Amino acid sequence: QLQLVESGGGLVQPGGSLRLSCAVPGLFLNYYGIGWFRQAPGKEREGVSCISASGINTEYVSSVRGRFTISRDNAKNTVFLQMNSLKPEDTAVYYCAADYAPYSAFCSVIGTKGPYDYWGQGIQVTVSS
């Protein structure tokens, strides 16, 4: 059973930064695209960012492009989401998810779940003064 564990969430003031981590123990990241999604209270889950299994390509939803950066450390089996210039509207539960797509150069965060079959438990990010 694939296990994804998010960490790094919390409370931050507007304009601040957080770095989320998605640990995937025992996973060969070159076989999996990893996506980040979020769900705010009363809203549908939305895609935020993804990194392809090849590690070459990344995608961002327009509302976070230029502020968020996705990256990964294959040796640590961890994917990161660096979030800068945070806004109150970034407040949500953030989820990482995995899609089995060996060496694929493609990833997607379209829709409420994209192509992802494996999900973490989620972690709260609150942006408030």
Side-chain angles (χ1 to χ4, degrees), residues 15-99:
S17 298
L18 282 175
R19 188 175 79 158
L20 301 184
S21 299
C22 175
V24 282
L27 192 70
F28 185 51
L29 283 176
N30 284 339
Y31 281 5
Y32 291 86
I34 302 294
W36 284 96
F37 287 73
R38 67 185 180 187
Q39 188 165 19
K43 294 188 176 181
E44 272 195 335
R45 186 167 57 195
E46 66 168 349
V48 176
S49 180
C50 63
I51 184 166
S52 65
S54 69
I56 294 174
N57 291 320
T58 58
E59 295 288 341
Y60 299 91
V61 68
S62 59
S63 60
V64 308
R65 193 173 293 121
R67 299 188 297 123
F68 290 12
T69 303
I70 191 169
S71 63
R72 74 185 195 189
D73 185 332
N74 286 2
K76 295 182 178 179
N77 291 95
T78 302
V79 175
F80 303 100
L81 185 68
Q82 178 67 44
M83 306 186 295
N84 298 328
S85 302
L86 282 160
K87 305 174 181 180
E89 51 264 43
D90 295 316
T91 295
V93 176
Y94 283 71
Y95 301 88
C96 65
D99 169 39

